[in-house]
Amino acid sequence: MLDIKITLTTAPKEKPKTDKLGFGKIFTDHMFIMNYTEGKGWHDPRIVPYAPVSLDPAAMVFHYGQEMFEGLKAYRTADGSIQLFRPQKNIERMNNTNRRLCIPQVDPDDVLQAIKALVEVEKDWVPAFDGTSLYIRPFIIATDPFLGVHAAKTYLFMIILAPSGSYYPEGINPVKIFIETEYVRASRGGTGFAKCGGNYAASLIGQEKAEKLGYAQVLWLDAIERKYIDEVGAMNVFFVIDGEVVTPSLDEGSILPGVTRASCIELLRSWGYTVTERRVSVEELYTAHREGRLNEAFGTGTAAVISPIGELNDNGNKIILNNNEIGPIAQKLYDNLTGIQWGRIADPMGWVEKVCD
Ligand SMILES: *Cc1c(COP(=O)(O)O)cnc(C)c1O
């Protein structure tokens, strides 16, 4: 159990009174901070007014990018209570990321306690409009003022909160995806499975290129053969081929193990679908499409939950999927996941974690 010291703000901000919140632009009144010092462990957990932090310009995070982050949401249900979706999965992934980046482990119970405590302090910030939520961003940065290339001895663990709008204010729109063959995001032995800022820094150039060509996101391929599909921007990816649900396996360590991905696999299997985790090549997809066997494709992630893919572009060779409409499996997953998250339907898997009434 953490002994969290709480200092409340004396100048609360005006809460937005609209559902047009966008994503990650508005932050709440408070944040959680905890320090790490070698030999002492994590210490001084506190909730304080949201404010800039002061860091030495030599702080290691600025130079060698020793940083990790997580992303999950708090949802307001119809009866006004607030709940999280499988937060233990995010916390478990956090420690896997930490291990890869030589960041000290965190106590899973302490992190869950910190998330719940901060969300409860900010409960009035959890929006109630349809499809809105409170995005939770835990992250850790290396803070030693030191230019040697080495794992740091001091860290800051922080949690900030951002009320976020509905991802689909005008209904679900299939996205256009550009298959990237020039740049790579992650390779075997690298940091693809870890949620760290460095992965994103390296992927921006591909994302910019795709956007210039009119595409929403990049589909990343394996770094070695440039044949097999890894994932989309900030989403894992699923294909339905001949009625079989297929998603790239995590074995290579180059794919981020999404909580939404795992939840889709578990739900689909509980409904009797065959889900195969294996390598999927671009060629297999294009052949299946030509033969009329590629039924649907969609991305999965906390932000959009399910994002149908309407078009793929492989070096100018474009294919339209499922008439640019959301497919039945994507729709069923979307309805069930969002139903569980916002408490509109029963939670058969016990995935929901209540924060407060
Ligand atoms: C966070 C993330 C995902 C999605 O993971 P969820 O836990 O489902 O939100 C997928 N790919 C990348 C690269 C990510 O950073």
Side-chain angles (χ1 to χ4, degrees):
M1 272 294 264
L2 292 175
D3 180 17
I4 305 174
K5 296 268 172 310
I6 301 180
T7 310
L8 295 179
T9 181
T10 51
K13 292 180 264 199
E14 182 95 27
K15 292 181 188 63
K17 287 183 182 56
T18 165
D19 59 346
K20 307 265 179 307
L21 297 161
F23 172 75
K25 292 186 293 195
I26 305 162
F27 298 96
T28 66
D29 286 321
H30 301 88
M31 58 189 185
F32 173 86
I33 312 188
M34 177 161 75
N35 296 73
Y36 179 91
T37 309
E38 196 181 58
K40 194 170 171 190
W42 292 104
H43 60 92
D44 290 302
R46 55 208 186 269
I47 289 171
V48 294
Y50 187 95
V53 286
S54 172
L55 291 174
D56 193 291
M60 289 172 85
V61 65
F62 295 140
H63 305 278
Y64 310 121
Q66 202 189 2
E67 183 265 2
M68 68 78 56
F69 69 95
E70 265 303 328
L72 66 163
K73 288 172 171 175
Y75 307 85
R76 187 178 291 282
T77 67
D79 68 13
S81 66
I82 295 165
Q83 58 189 33
L84 307 171
F85 181 74
R86 310 189 80 179
Q88 296 85 355
K89 297 280 283 182
N90 294 88
I91 297 168
E92 185 189 318
R93 184 169 68 191
M94 191 168 187
N95 272 333
N96 291 337
T97 300
N98 288 354
R99 203 170 291 116
R100 179 64 180 81
L101 291 172
C102 299
I103 293 172
Q105 296 285 292
V106 288
D107 181 310
D109 295 333
D110 289 353
V111 177
L112 185 59
Q113 185 198 344
I115 292 172
K116 284 177 153 182
L118 182 63
V119 171
E120 188 157 9
V121 164
E122 301 292 52
K123 61 177 190 268
D124 294 341
W125 280 93
V126 184
F129 297 100
D130 207 31
T132 61
S133 58
L134 184 68
Y135 185 78
I136 304 168
R137 167 54 58 85
F139 63 102
I140 300 175
I141 55 172
T143 52
D144 303 17
F146 178 51
L147 296 184
V149 179
H150 223 275
K153 294 174 168 43
T154 60
Y155 298 85
L156 271 186
F157 172 22
M158 307 184 63
I159 307 171
I160 56 174
L161 305 174
S164 296
S166 168
Y167 204 86
Y168 296 113
E170 283 105 33
I172 295 184
N173 278 318
V175 290
K176 292 169 68 176
I177 303 286
F178 185 80
I179 303 177
E180 178 54 54
T181 51
E182 183 184 0
Y183 303 110
V184 294
R185 188 192 88 95
S187 63
R188 189 187 304 183
T191 55
F193 70 89
K195 216 167 170 74
C196 61
N199 287 342
Y200 278 81
S203 73
L204 295 175
I205 192 164
Q207 180 65 25
E208 278 202 348
K209 181 175 151 190
E211 280 170 17
K212 275 197 194 107
L213 295 166
Y215 287 80
Q217 292 216 28
V218 171
L219 183 70
W220 295 102
L221 301 181
D222 79 279
I224 298 162
E225 296 180 70
R226 310 282 178 100
K227 264 168 65 176
Y228 298 99
I229 289 159
D230 270 355
E231 61 177 309
V232 169
M235 289 190 293
N236 296 116
V237 68
F238 285 74
F239 304 97
V240 184
I241 305 173
D242 273 334
E244 179 193 10
V245 185
V246 180
T247 190
S249 60
L250 304 174
D251 302 345
E252 302 293 309
S254 56
I255 297 175
L256 199 287
V259 177
T260 321
R261 176 189 180 279
S263 305
C264 286
I265 294 173
E266 288 171 56
L267 276 181
L268 286 164
R269 287 185 178 151
S270 79
W271 296 331
Y273 288 91
T274 304
V275 185
T276 316
E277 297 176 73
R278 62 166 171 85
R279 301 190 101 183
V280 193
S281 69
V282 175
E283 194 187 336
E284 178 187 353
L285 283 187
Y286 273 63
T287 302
H289 179 262
R290 204 164 43 242
E291 295 172 354
R293 296 185 291 110
L294 180 55
N295 313 127
E296 48 181 302
F298 51 91
T300 68
T302 297
V305 188
I306 302 290
S307 211
I309 298 174
E311 179 185 324
L312 285 175
N313 181 333
D314 179 36
N315 283 312
N317 187 359
K318 299 177 191 174
I319 56 175
I320 302 293
L321 302 167
N322 195 44
N323 294 322
N324 214 7
E325 286 163 14
I326 182 165
I329 292 180
Q331 184 74 58
K332 187 171 178 183
L333 284 169
Y334 181 80
D335 292 344
N336 277 273
L337 281 171
T338 57
I340 294 168
Q341 288 164 341
W342 275 276
R344 288 189 298 263
I345 63 172
D347 171 22
M349 309 287 207
W351 283 342
V352 153
E353 174 87 28
K354 188 157 187 172
V355 175
C356 58
D357 284 311

